[in-house]
Amino acid sequence: MVQELLAAGVVTLSAGLVYVASAARVVKQYERGVVFRLGRLSGPPRPPGFTMIVPVVDRMRKVNMQIVTMPVPAQEGITRDNVTVRVDAVVYFKVVDASHAIVRVEDYRFAVSQMAQTSLRSIIGKSDLDDLLSNREKLNQGLELMLDSPAIGWGVQIDRVEIKDVSLPETMKRSMARQAEADRERRARVINADAELQASKKLAEAASEMSEQPAALQLRLLQTVVAVAAEKNSTLVLPFPVELLRFLERAANQQPQAPGTPPPASAAPGPATGIPADAAPREVTAPTVESIPRTANGTAPPVDAEAAP
C-alpha cells in the first residue's frame, strides 16, 4: 500500500514538474509577451519576468520593444526640377503597443519598410535638387510625418528618419562643379575690381598730395630707384619725363641762326642723271626687225664681241 502511494506521489510530482516546465515562460526586460488563448487575445501583454500560461491552450508571442534601425534601400526618382537621383535613408522606430503590433498588422517590420520606400519616392518627386542637397532637415521631418501617420495604428512609433546619401549622375556632378567654379571666379573678379577701385582712390589722393609739393614726386622717384637697385640688377631703368624732351625740342627750334653762315644750297631742278641741263637732245633710231640679218633657221647670227663698237 505504501509503495503504491509512493508511486502515485512520484507520478503526480513528475506530472506537476512537466506542467510547470511547459507552462513557465520568461519575458526579458526589453520584451512584452502577447498571449493568445484558443486563438483570442488574452488580456494585456505580459510584463518582463517570470510568467505562466496554460499549456496547449495558450500561445505567447514575444515582441521586442527596443528601437529598431532599418535601412531603406536606395530609391531612384525624378525631382521636381527634372533631375534623376538615387536617395537612400534610414528609419529608427520602436513598438509602443505590443498587442497592436501583433494583431493589426501581419509583419510590422516589413510594413514599415515598404511604407518608408514609398514615402521616400514621394518626397523625391515633391522636392527640388537643392532641397535634397542642402535642406535635408525639412525633408526628414516631412518623411517622418508621412511614416508616423499609418504606423500609429500598427502600435509602432517612428522615432527618427534620416536621408543618408543622394547620388547624382556624373554629368550633373560635372555641371555643378563648373557652376561652382564660375561662381568662385565671379567672386574673385568682384573682389579684384573692388581692390582696384580702392587702390585707385588712394592713388588719386596721393597724386593730389604730391601735386602740391613737387619735391615729393622726386623723392618718390628716388625711393623707387633704391628699391630697384636693392635687387642686385645690372641694368637700371629711370623714367624720363616726356615734357622735358618736348621742352628741349622747342628750344632747338627757336635757336637763332649764326651770322655769316651761308644758306643751304637748294637742289637744281634738272634731272639727277648727271647730264647737263643745256645739252641738246639727240635723236636715236632703233633698228627695225627687217634690218637684222637672219640665218637659215630664222635665228639671229652670233655677234662677235671684239667687233662690237
Side-chain angles (χ1 to χ4, degrees):
M1 185 66 182
V2 176
Q3 295 179 354
E4 294 178 357
L5 291 176
L6 290 176
V10 171
V11 172
T12 304
L13 182 59
S14 300
L17 292 176
V18 171
Y19 177 81
V20 171
S22 61
R25 295 291 188 273
V26 176
V27 181
K28 297 179 181 179
Q29 181 65 36
Y30 55 86
E31 294 177 340
R32 297 295 183 270
V34 180
V35 178
F36 292 91
R37 180 165 296 171
L38 298 177
R40 297 187 63 180
L41 184 64
S42 175
R46 302 293 176 88
F50 181 80
T51 185
M52 297 287 292
I53 63 173
V54 179
V56 182
V57 177
D58 292 345
R59 294 288 185 272
M60 187 174 69
R61 292 185 60 180
K62 298 178 182 180
V63 180
N64 193 335
M65 307 296 288
Q66 292 177 316
I67 295 178
V68 180
T69 303
M70 176 180 293
V72 181
Q75 303 296 314
E76 185 173 355
I78 301 177
T79 61
R80 190 166 56 182
D81 50 355
N82 298 326
V83 179
T84 303
V85 295
R86 289 177 60 87
V87 182
D88 57 351
V90 59
V91 181
Y92 302 90
F93 67 94
K94 63 180 179 180
V95 178
V96 294
D97 193 335
S99 299
H100 289 176
I102 296 299
V103 175
R104 295 190 177 183
V105 63
E106 180 181 3
D107 187 353
Y108 65 91
R109 290 175 178 265
F110 182 74
V112 172
S113 176
Q114 294 299 314
M115 181 59 66
Q117 296 179 32
T118 305
S119 302
L120 183 58
R121 285 194 295 268
S122 179
I123 285 291
I124 293 174
K126 294 179 181 179
S127 305
D128 295 332
L129 180 60
D130 294 337
D131 295 335
L132 289 175
L133 297 177
S134 60
N135 196 12
R136 294 189 181 182
E137 291 295 333
K138 182 179 179 180
L139 298 180
N140 293 337
Q141 294 177 1
L143 190 57
E144 182 178 349
L145 290 176
M146 295 178 65
L147 288 174
D148 199 27
S149 299
I152 289 296
W154 304 336
V156 178
Q157 178 183 354
I158 304 299
D159 188 70
R160 190 178 183 85
V161 182
E162 292 286 345
I163 295 177
K164 292 198 303 182
D165 187 24
V166 179
S167 300
L168 300 175
E170 293 298 329
T171 56
M172 180 58 64
K173 291 181 181 179
R174 289 193 293 268
S175 300
M176 295 177 66
R178 288 195 299 268
Q179 180 182 1
E181 184 179 357
D183 186 53
R184 288 193 297 269
E185 185 178 357
R186 179 184 62 83
R187 291 199 299 267
R189 290 185 178 181
V190 170
I191 294 174
N192 190 18
D194 190 14
E196 291 290 340
L197 177 61
Q198 296 178 8
S200 63
K201 291 181 180 179
K202 294 299 181 181
L203 289 175
E205 294 177 3
S208 177
E209 293 293 333
M210 289 182 180
S211 63
E212 298 178 359
Q213 297 293 335
L217 183 60
Q218 186 68 21
L219 291 176
R220 187 71 184 92
L221 175 61
L222 294 177
Q223 290 179 359
T224 304
V225 172
V226 171
V228 174
E231 298 296 334
K232 299 180 180 180
N233 294 330
S234 59
T235 303
L236 182 62
V237 179
L238 294 177
F240 197 78
V242 181
E243 288 76 7
L244 182 59
L245 295 177
R246 293 177 180 174
F247 173 75
L248 296 176
E249 182 180 0
R250 287 195 299 269
N253 293 334
Q254 294 176 1
Q255 183 177 4
Q257 185 177 1
T261 303
S266 58
T273 57
I275 302 176
D278 54 352
R282 186 175 58 182
E283 182 178 359
V284 179
T285 303
T288 60
V289 179
E290 290 77 4
S291 61
I292 299 176
R294 298 285 181 174
T295 59
N297 55 1
T299 58
V303 180
D304 190 1
E306 296 180 357

